[in-house]
Amino acid sequence: MAGGLVLLFLLLVGTGRCWELPAFHCNLYNSCECGFRPDLNALDCDLSRNVFGQHLAREQLVKALKVFVATDRPSKPLVLSFHGWSGTGKTFVSSLLVKHLYRDGNRSPYVHRFSPILHFPHAQNVNQYKEDLKQWIQGNLTACSRSMFLFEEMDKMHPGLIDVIAPFLGSSWVVFGSNYKKAIFVFVSNSGGEAINNVALNFWRGHKDREEIQLSDVVPAITKAVVADQEHGFWQSEIIEQNLIDVIVPFLPLRPNHVRYCVRSELEQMGLASEEDLVHSVTDSLVYFPEDERVFSSTGCKTVAFRINYYL
Ligand SMILES: *[C@@H]1O[C@H](CO)[C@@H](O)[C@H](O)[C@H]1NC(C)=O
């Protein structure tokens, strides 16, 4: 019996996966409240195991979500804004959010993604897009207050467009038949990435641990960069002026040791053994900046999968 338990324990540990509760059995047919099944312990576990070098993002997200899901009557929708250099994990983290907040994960009908290139490609149609976007948000919120809206590449969104959703982000709007304050909005962009990189570089040069970087070290610089960017979807936006964003989630640039983790994890997913030679070659082949010191990866973990194929 004891041996069996030890074996079970070893199996659980040995798989290297996060321990997740079995899916909650839901009997409210097709209800959206039913589709919203936050498991924040699993989220935290997944973030700490599979997202490398992002202590701020992990802390901020878990903290904000704990507060938000603890009540049935939030005072306003949860509005998150992800910032950071490319390849630092923003898209991956957004997919983990969806996975651990919704029963059906990325297939959930209550999760809506918008990409400027896909949904709003032509600047001359911006008035039409405004109409569409407003209708979509309103329609989806009426169908389900526990909806999540993800806006990718905000730095490529036509300025002015996003303001049509500003009323949905505040605390005093009325959406007929729906408590829209239960919704979650996530904005993702690379802007502020350079400012974050500079802070991280200064910490590195000062021989300080990256885990010592605090939110207050990066947020003012991120806000400044976003406000100054005339191409950004938030240019002169009410969303910024009315402080509708609840949490700025910064993603730090990645060190070579984080890239090594990415390579190993990618190899594991491909079903291959992590041969140290290969891990080393791939990690070493990336471009690092500043050029002479080679501190951070210029593309984060983005090109890792491609490079593995190249070295194989
Ligand atoms: C919900 O949003 C999607 C876009 O993601 C849109 O196609 C759909 O029509 C919306 N649903 C409603 C009921 O408005």
Side-chain angles (χ1 to χ4, degrees):
M1 178 64 194
L5 279 179
V6 170
L7 188 63
L8 179 65
F9 176 74
L10 287 176
L11 275 175
L12 284 174
V13 173
T15 57
R17 297 249 152 65
C18 292
W19 172 240
E20 281 173 47
L21 293 171
F24 184 84
H25 181 72
C26 207
N27 47 22
L28 292 169
Y29 180 67
N30 217 9
S31 144
C32 86
E33 284 289 341
C34 191
F36 188 72
R37 283 275 151 253
D39 185 346
L40 299 185
N41 288 332
L43 173 67
D44 195 23
C45 182
D46 221 342
L47 287 172
S48 67
R49 290 212 179 186
N50 299 317
V51 180
F52 308 113
Q54 303 301 353
H55 70 285
L56 282 176
R58 178 184 165 208
E59 278 163 25
Q60 290 309 309
L61 285 173
V62 173
K63 202 166 78 183
L65 282 163
K66 272 198 177 131
V67 174
F68 186 70
V69 304
T71 168
D72 243 3
R73 298 173 171 274
S75 60
K76 77 183 276 307
L78 181 62
V79 184
L80 309 168
S81 192
F82 290 11
H83 299 268
W85 207 245
S86 79
T88 50
K90 301 183 297 297
T91 307
F92 181 53
V93 168
S94 75
S95 72
L96 291 184
L97 281 191
V98 173
K99 175 177 170 196
H100 295 295
L101 291 177
Y102 289 87
R103 187 188 54 191
D104 300 327
N106 283 301
R107 291 187 322 276
S108 173
Y110 311 118
V111 177
H112 308 276
R113 288 174 193 276
F114 300 96
S115 141
I117 293 151
L118 219 60
H119 295 90
F120 318 112
H122 306 297
Q124 70 269 26
N125 296 347
V126 74
N127 285 329
Q128 182 60 45
Y129 296 151
K130 282 185 183 174
E131 277 304 303
D132 293 346
L133 182 56
K134 194 173 167 189
Q135 291 304 323
W136 289 341
I137 303 283
Q138 176 114 18
N140 283 304
L141 282 176
T142 305
C144 178
S145 56
R146 284 291 188 194
S147 291
M148 179 159 162
F149 302 95
L150 270 157
F151 291 88
E152 288 157 11
E153 301 193 276
M154 277 302 293
D155 41 345
K156 299 200 176 80
M157 187 179 258
H158 194 78
L161 171 54
I162 201 68
D163 270 11
V164 293
I165 73 161
F168 298 109
L169 308 185
S171 53
S172 55
W173 193 251
V174 178
V175 176
F176 185 71
S178 167
N179 181 3
Y180 77 98
K181 293 173 189 170
K182 289 178 167 180
I184 300 177
F185 292 83
V186 181
F187 299 107
V188 180
S189 74
N190 289 354
S191 36
E194 226 170 307
I196 299 172
N197 291 355
N198 285 334
V199 171
L201 194 57
N202 285 335
F203 268 70
W204 181 83
R205 287 188 175 139
H207 303 287
K208 288 193 260 178
D209 229 355
R210 77 192 262 126
E211 273 75 30
E212 285 178 48
I213 300 176
Q214 294 183 7
L215 202 59
S216 54
D217 294 318
V218 286
V219 164
I222 295 172
T223 313
K224 207 169 141 195
V226 170
V227 170
D229 183 355
Q230 304 196 7
E231 315 264 284
H232 198 285
F234 282 146
W235 168 247
Q236 298 191 329
S237 167
E238 275 179 53
I239 294 174
I240 302 292
E241 279 158 21
Q242 298 178 23
N243 282 315
L244 296 174
I245 294 172
D246 299 298
V247 188
I248 299 249
V249 184
F251 287 75
L252 304 176
L254 299 181
R255 296 276 296 136
N257 63 311
H258 303 123
V259 175
R260 269 195 289 278
Y261 277 121
C262 292
V263 178
R264 289 199 193 101
S265 142
E266 191 67 39
L267 284 171
E268 193 183 313
Q269 276 172 44
M270 294 164 91
L272 299 169
S274 288
E275 282 175 35
E276 277 313 298
D277 279 358
L278 181 59
V279 175
H280 188 83
S281 305
V282 173
T283 307
D284 217 41
S285 73
L286 295 190
V287 176
Y288 294 87
F289 70 90
E291 217 177 321
D292 44 342
E293 292 160 293
R294 292 180 45 98
V295 184
F296 297 117
S297 164
S298 301
T299 47
C301 280
K302 204 160 217 169
T303 56
V304 159
F306 171 79
R307 276 160 200 272
I308 288 176
N309 284 318
Y310 174 83
Y311 276 96
L312 278 177

